[in-house]
Amino acid sequence: MEQILNEYYDDNAKKLRRIVDKILLKFGGLSDKDLDDFYSLANEVFVEVMRKYDQSQPFDVFLYSCLSNNIKTEMTRRNREKRKADRISVSIDTPLGDDEDTTIGDVLADDVTIEKELFGEGKEGYSRRIATYLNRLSRLQREVLRLNMAGYLPKEIKEELHISERQYADSYAAIHSYRNISILF
């Protein structure tokens, strides 16, 4: 068992981290903090696997299976938590009354937006955080963001880009998603 322990934890747990990275590659879009959380989870799983290992199968196979199951469970838990928040939230793009051109966001007293903070007047170039944020967005999402910054209304953006309501809503949600904007904090 000591040989297995040394094999996985040599060079700052390089082999264990490599396995975790391979599993997480399927999910993508994880921050460094998320990676640290999953590396910690991997350490816990590794200890549990060491206690349960009965040599009926290769250790690598048993460890990979346990890590994969635990990581999937944790991703499911995290996504469930996000969905809970999404169910109670109301988009600022929700139309007010029968007037589809006026939204909740239009009547808010504060005109500070993520877009203005990112691309405000007088800023030269992009910081590393802003560049990372923009790289997380698809081409369509960046176009929606650009037109929104230019003052286009949602209806005009959809017409300009020839996209459906669903495509616009998905792009707008991605632009404002915590996962994408968290890099800015």
Side-chain angles (χ1 to χ4, degrees):
M1 286 302 202
E2 188 172 324
Q3 178 185 357
I4 291 173
L5 187 64
N6 290 335
E7 179 183 341
Y8 280 90
Y9 281 92
D10 275 351
D11 195 18
N12 196 21
K14 185 176 182 179
K15 186 171 182 177
L16 185 61
R17 288 175 180 256
R18 221 176 347 188
I19 292 171
V20 172
D21 291 342
K22 182 178 178 182
I23 295 168
L24 291 175
L25 191 61
K26 294 180 232 174
F27 298 102
L30 298 172
S31 70
D32 289 341
K33 182 187 178 305
D34 291 326
L35 289 177
D36 288 342
D37 290 346
F38 285 106
Y39 293 148
S40 294
L41 175 66
N43 286 325
E44 294 171 17
V45 171
F46 187 85
V47 169
E48 188 66 26
V49 166
M50 290 286 284
R51 284 197 331 230
K52 290 183 176 180
Y53 182 58
D54 63 4
Q55 299 181 348
S56 63
Q57 59 183 320
F59 183 81
D60 294 344
V61 173
F62 184 56
L63 176 63
Y64 184 88
S65 173
C66 291
L67 281 172
S68 181
N69 288 337
N70 277 274
I71 287 172
K72 287 176 187 174
T73 300
E74 177 62 15
M75 290 299 267
T76 300
R77 185 194 66 74
R78 288 177 178 213
N79 288 334
R80 187 176 298 126
E81 290 298 316
K82 289 178 189 173
R83 284 192 304 273
K84 282 181 187 175
D86 287 346
R87 277 185 261 151
I88 61 172
S89 63
V90 176
S91 172
I92 62 171
D93 287 331
T94 303
L96 283 177
D98 295 332
D99 182 10
E100 290 186 13
D101 290 335
T102 304
T103 66
I104 293 173
D106 294 334
V107 297
L108 292 176
D110 193 359
D111 68 345
V112 175
T113 65
I114 293 170
E115 293 85 355
K116 287 181 182 176
E117 289 297 314
L118 288 176
F119 303 108
E121 296 291 322
K123 292 188 179 179
E124 295 181 33
Y126 301 128
S127 70
R128 186 179 63 78
R129 286 182 178 183
I130 291 174
T132 301
Y133 165 77
L134 291 172
N135 285 333
R136 288 182 177 190
L137 301 178
S138 70
R139 182 196 57 75
L140 177 60
Q141 293 162 356
R142 285 192 299 270
E143 281 300 303
V144 169
L145 177 62
R146 182 184 64 77
L147 291 173
N148 188 287
M149 283 299 304
Y152 284 67
L153 295 172
K155 182 179 178 182
E156 296 169 326
I157 293 172
K158 290 181 275 186
E159 289 172 2
E160 178 78 20
L161 298 176
H162 306 289
I163 60 175
S164 67
E165 175 67 34
R166 175 69 182 208
Q167 289 172 305
Y168 174 80
D170 289 346
S171 295
Y172 197 85
I175 290 166
H176 294 86
S177 74
Y178 178 77
R179 190 171 110 194
N180 285 334
I181 65 170
S182 64
I183 189 70
L184 301 173
F185 302 124

